[in-house]
Amino acid sequence: MLVGIVNSDFLALENILNSVKNSLLYIVLAVGLTFVLLTGEIDISVGSTLGLSAAVSGVIVRDGGSIFLAIIVAIFIGALIGLVNGIGVTKLKISSFIMTLGMLEIVRVVQVIYTDGKWIENLPANFKQISQINLLGMNLLGIIVILAVIILHLYLSNSRKGRYFSAIGDNEDGAILMGIPVIRYKIISFVICGISASLAGLIFASQVGFISTTAGLGIEMTVIAAAVLGGVSLSGGIGSVVGAAIGAIIMSSINSALVFLKVPAFWNATISGSLLIVIVVVDVLIFRRANKKAKKERLNARVLTLKEEV
């Protein structure tokens, strides 16, 4: 509302619809990252995965290949990167932060080598029009993403296997004792995150119409902030894809608001970083308080048990 007072165009219906449309990229990334965060891990390689997938798919359609082939190849790239991340974290016992940080740099270099350091331009009109298709006055991609978020939410909250992700992040040792295949589901979470990043790369290429060598650079900070802003805990075990999607819309709206307020673009990263720090501090405080309360309840239960035995 404050932005609307400063610039009334911000509250125009057209701009609101554009804000939702522009947030699709962040929604897809945040939802995929949620699976990893729920297990208590993190993936900061999503930006480079987005860039490489966009570059490869862009070259395919530019050189006359089918859009379907570009989608399949992009998904394969995302799944492969996610699989390598998952194996590195679970089998080699590498910290997820270190593993995905290293993968971020490796994939970024692969993209530069693949594109020879050049931008991918002159994408065909039919590929760029994918992000412009409307159905009943709403963006078709937006409808698909919203339906996907709803389905994934139902899977994570209502299915037994879907709840495994939160169970692992909440208490990994307990999950192992319950017979949950922790390693398998952690790998799956990274694969899902990688595929989401590759799909985001396709959306990016279609919306922008070209792919630069820095595509997706730094977007991981915004995505992490969006997920945590939506209630997904960095400690694992808490959060939902719906919350992550809402957080993504908020972060996208903040960026849009800065444009309407004519704030220099470099402040976007500053605000995203500041929000991330504040949200993480609050998240840690809430986690510590909940943990302290749980310990107190366990202690009281033990005391009562001892009194009954006496």
Side-chain angles (χ1 to χ4, degrees), residues 212-271:
S212 68
T213 54
T214 58
L217 182 65
I219 199 173
E220 51 276 342
M221 179 184 292
T222 303
V223 175
I224 294 171
V228 178
L229 181 63
V232 183
S233 174
L234 290 177
S235 303
I238 300 174
S240 69
V241 291
V242 172
I246 293 173
I249 294 174
I250 293 174
M251 291 301 298
S252 179
S253 298
I254 290 174
N255 292 338
S256 178
L258 292 177
V259 172
F260 275 88
L261 291 175
K262 298 180 180 180
V263 177
F266 64 83
W267 283 104
N268 290 12
T270 303
I271 292 175

Side-chain angles (χ1 to χ4, degrees), residues 94-106:
I94 302 173
S95 163
S96 58
F97 178 84
I98 300 300
M99 182 67 203
T100 56
L101 177 62
M103 185 59 66
L104 181 150
E105 299 297 339
I106 293 171

Side-chain angles (χ1 to χ4, degrees), residues 65-86:
S66 69
I67 295 177
F68 178 75
L69 176 62
I71 294 174
I72 295 300
V73 172
I75 290 175
F76 174 78
I77 291 173
L80 179 61
I81 293 173
L83 180 63
V84 174
N85 281 333

Side-chain angles (χ1 to χ4, degrees), residues 26 29 33 43-49 104 108 216-226 276:
Y26 296 106
L29 288 169
L33 182 63
D43 187 348
I44 58 175
S45 66
V46 291
S48 60
T49 303
L104 181 150
R108 186 66 67 187
L217 182 65
I219 199 173
E220 51 276 342
M221 179 184 292
T222 303
V223 175
I224 294 171
L276 182 59

Side-chain angles (χ1 to χ4, degrees), residues 28-29 31-33 35-36 43 78-79 82-83 152 155-156 165 185-199:
V28 173
L29 288 169
V31 166
L33 182 63
F35 280 83
V36 174
D43 187 348
L83 180 63
L152 290 175
Y155 169 71
L156 288 174
F165 295 96
Y185 275 85
K186 279 195 174 186
I187 293 176
I188 290 174
S189 71
F190 278 102
V191 171
I192 292 173
C193 187
I195 292 175
S196 297
S198 64
L199 293 175

Side-chain angles (χ1 to χ4, degrees), residues 112-310:
V112 173
I113 294 174
Y114 177 78
T115 60
D116 198 25
K118 299 177 181 178
W119 288 22
I120 308 301
E121 299 177 302
N122 301 319
L123 300 183
N126 61 338
F127 180 72
K128 291 188 285 187
Q129 287 173 354
I130 292 177
S131 60
Q132 307 299 326
I133 300 175
N134 290 327
L135 180 65
L136 301 176
M138 293 184 63
N139 182 263
L140 180 59
L141 277 180
I143 296 174
I144 294 173
V145 169
I146 290 173
L147 290 175
V149 170
I150 294 173
I151 292 172
L152 290 175
H153 174 72
L154 293 175
Y155 169 71
L156 288 174
S157 59
N158 295 339
S159 71
R160 180 171 61 88
K161 292 184 177 180
R163 289 193 290 268
Y164 283 174
F165 295 96
S166 296
I168 292 170
D170 182 54
N171 188 340
E172 185 172 330
D173 292 333
I176 293 174
L177 292 175
M178 291 174 59
I180 296 176
V182 172
I183 292 178
R184 182 196 308 169
Y185 275 85
K186 279 195 174 186
I187 293 176
I188 290 174
S189 71
F190 278 102
V191 171
I192 292 173
C193 187
I195 292 175
S196 297
S198 64
L199 293 175
L202 290 167
I203 294 174
F204 173 85
S206 178
Q207 288 182 335
V208 179
F210 63 87
I211 303 99
S212 68
T213 54
T214 58
L217 182 65
I219 199 173
E220 51 276 342
M221 179 184 292
T222 303
V223 175
I224 294 171
V228 178
L229 181 63
V232 183
S233 174
L234 290 177
S235 303
I238 300 174
S240 69
V241 291
V242 172
I246 293 173
I249 294 174
I250 293 174
M251 291 301 298
S252 179
S253 298
I254 290 174
N255 292 338
S256 178
L258 292 177
V259 172
F260 275 88
L261 291 175
K262 298 180 180 180
V263 177
F266 64 83
W267 283 104
N268 290 12
T270 303
I271 292 175
S272 296
S274 300
L275 273 175
L276 182 59
I277 292 173
V278 172
I279 296 167
V280 169
V281 169
V282 173
D283 178 69
V284 170
L285 292 176
I286 293 175
F287 176 77
R288 287 180 178 177
R289 184 177 180 182
N291 194 33
K292 185 177 180 180
K293 183 178 179 181
K295 287 182 178 179
K296 187 176 181 180
E297 290 177 351
R298 287 196 297 268
L299 180 61
N300 290 335
R302 290 175 183 174
V303 172
L304 289 174
T305 302
L306 290 174
K307 286 182 178 180
E308 290 176 358
E309 290 178 354
V310 172

